[in-house]
Amino acid sequence: MKEISPALRSFILTLPSVPFLEALLLLHGAPGQIWTAEAIAQRLYLQSLGQADTIVRELAARGFCACTPGGHVLYQPADAALHALIAELSREYPHRLIEITKLVHG
């Protein structure tokens, strides 16, 4: 199996937590779908709605998604390069779960 690309490795190291990463991949997997923090919390089995709210705010602040006037989010990366990294992450994550989660925790 080939190594994780340097660009993807650098990107992963910027992610604050595994739930954040999984929320990002959830949004990426359903482009065009509008998500509430509550729906994200349910899908990711998060302990609290507050944790989901924090993740949603950070996803928006980092340019991974757009916010609706009602405070919901949808996948809309700030640029094509960011989308390409997220797409690469979505392809690699199922095959390198442990390696990637260790990078996030590192």
Side-chain angles (χ1 to χ4, degrees):
M1 184 179 283
K2 68 180 175 99
E3 294 289 317
I4 293 175
S5 74
L8 181 58
R9 180 177 295 278
S10 293
F11 176 69
I12 291 167
L13 291 171
T14 70
L15 302 178
S17 67
V18 172
F20 180 91
L21 178 156
E22 291 183 344
L24 176 59
L25 294 180
L26 180 66
L27 271 63
H28 173 267
Q33 182 171 339
I34 296 173
W35 293 88
T36 63
E38 183 178 8
I40 291 170
Q42 289 174 347
R43 288 287 301 271
L44 298 180
Y45 304 103
L46 298 177
Q47 295 291 334
S48 74
L49 185 55
Q51 183 183 13
D53 282 331
T54 299
I55 289 170
V56 164
R57 282 193 305 278
E58 189 153 358
L59 284 166
R62 290 177 176 231
F64 297 134
C65 64
C67 291
T68 68
H72 304 111
V73 294
L74 70 150
Y75 180 74
Q76 191 173 49
D79 57 49
L82 186 56
H83 171 67
L85 280 170
I86 297 165
E88 183 180 357
L89 176 60
S90 75
R91 289 188 302 274
E92 294 291 332
Y93 190 60
H95 306 289
R96 298 172 178 269
L97 180 75
I98 294 170
E99 182 181 1
I100 291 172
T101 56
K102 284 182 179 179
L103 284 171
V104 172
H105 289 297

